Amino acid sequence: MKIVNFAEKNSELNRFVAEIRDIHIQQDRLRFRKNLERIGEVMSYEISKDLRYSEKQVTTPLGIARVNTADDKIVIGTILRAGIPYHQGFLNYFDRAENAFVSAYRKYKDKLNFEIFIEYIASPRIDGKVLILTDPMLATGGSMELSYRALLTKGEPEHIHIASVIASQKAIEYITTHFPEEKTTVWVGAIDPDLNEHSYIVPGLGDAGDLAYGEKE
């Protein structure tokens, strides 16, 4: 399984990640959402390099131009709600992609223990397509796996790209053992070492959904 950690190389993506982590800058919800969108744009550009291409002919006002464009059919699947601005970044680049949405949430038994439930799914058929699964925070990997299993009711994708802004080391290890190794690629802005007792990533950035859209009751 290929794992791409953008933090291992210097790029402007690091600034966007730094800003969404910063306790002062992240109070600006508009900027927080915009940075999630910009991170999605950078990652989609990098993912596009892994697609299959063939030469096409384009008629210009002065003749015929030959250009290589992607042949893969893409489905962008996003976990609600923090994933919405992140999803938009991918859609800005893969503007012809089909889209899928999954509502996965934590149902707490007590302050420290919870189960993950899938409440809603809207998806096209994904047979033979490239599935890009996006979620800004990959804490345990459980929500991502359950969302993937839910989407499998719509078919079997040819390749899976998992894209996250910040992941825990535990989640990366979980993904490598719960997704098909031969056809999964993981793209992440940074990998953090720890989870706290509430399974939030440390140092992380807090609750991405609340920072993007306001606190929930």
Side-chain angles (χ1 to χ4, degrees):
M1 184 178 295
K2 179 182 175 182
I3 299 174
V4 180
N5 182 1
F6 287 91
E8 294 176 345
K9 295 183 179 181
N10 293 329
S11 76
E12 195 68 354
L13 183 92
N14 291 347
R15 178 170 67 87
F16 304 151
V17 174
E19 288 189 0
I20 65 172
R21 288 187 190 266
D22 190 299
I23 59 173
H24 303 293
I25 299 176
Q26 68 179 200
Q27 299 307 311
D28 182 345
R29 290 179 190 163
L30 176 60
R31 188 167 187 84
F32 186 86
R33 294 192 300 271
K34 188 61 179 179
N35 278 332
L36 286 179
E37 182 178 339
R38 294 197 290 183
I39 293 169
E41 290 177 340
V42 174
M43 288 190 176
S44 62
Y45 172 75
E46 294 297 327
I47 290 173
S48 74
K49 298 176 183 179
D50 278 11
L51 301 177
R52 293 175 300 182
Y53 287 75
S54 65
E55 185 180 274
K56 316 294 193 307
Q57 291 188 349
V58 179
T59 302
T60 79
L62 301 176
I64 301 296
R66 291 175 173 81
V67 58
N68 288 341
T69 59
D71 298 320
D72 293 294
K73 294 182 179 179
I74 297 171
V75 177
I76 306 170
T78 293
I79 301 175
L80 303 174
R81 66 181 167 146
I84 295 173
Y86 190 42
H87 179 102
Q88 186 60 50
F90 285 87
L91 194 56
N92 288 346
Y93 272 51
F94 297 123
D95 58 319
R96 296 182 178 180
E98 296 176 283
N99 298 269
F101 298 93
V102 180
S103 172
Y105 69 98
R106 294 178 176 184
K107 186 174 182 180
Y108 282 86
K109 300 177 182 178
D110 52 51
K111 290 183 179 181
L112 301 180
N113 298 297
F114 61 87
E115 293 181 354
I116 300 170
F117 286 86
I118 302 294
E119 190 174 61
Y120 169 85
I121 176 173
S123 173
R125 296 298 301 176
I126 62 174
D127 294 289
K129 299 174 183 177
V130 172
L131 176 62
I132 302 176
L133 285 173
T134 74
D135 191 1
M137 307 299 287
L138 200 59
T140 66
S143 294
M144 185 65 76
E145 185 205 4
L146 286 178
S147 298
Y148 169 63
R149 300 296 175 193
L151 288 170
L152 286 180
T153 62
K154 306 300 181 180
E156 185 72 37
E158 183 173 333
H159 194 88
I160 307 138
H161 293 279
I162 295 174
S164 184
V165 180
I166 300 174
S168 72
Q169 183 59 47
K170 180 179 179 180
I172 295 296
E173 293 168 359
Y174 186 92
I175 292 298
T176 59
T177 58
H178 288 79
F179 279 76
E181 181 179 1
E182 70 283 358
K183 64 174 186 178
T184 302
T185 307
V186 180
W187 308 79
V188 62
I191 299 175
D192 286 356
D194 299 314
L195 291 175
N196 65 14
E197 65 274 14
H198 298 286
S199 292
Y200 282 113
I201 303 171
V202 179
L205 55 77
D207 190 306
D210 287 357
L211 289 167
Y213 296 111
E215 293 185 6
K216 55 190 175 293
E217 185 176 341

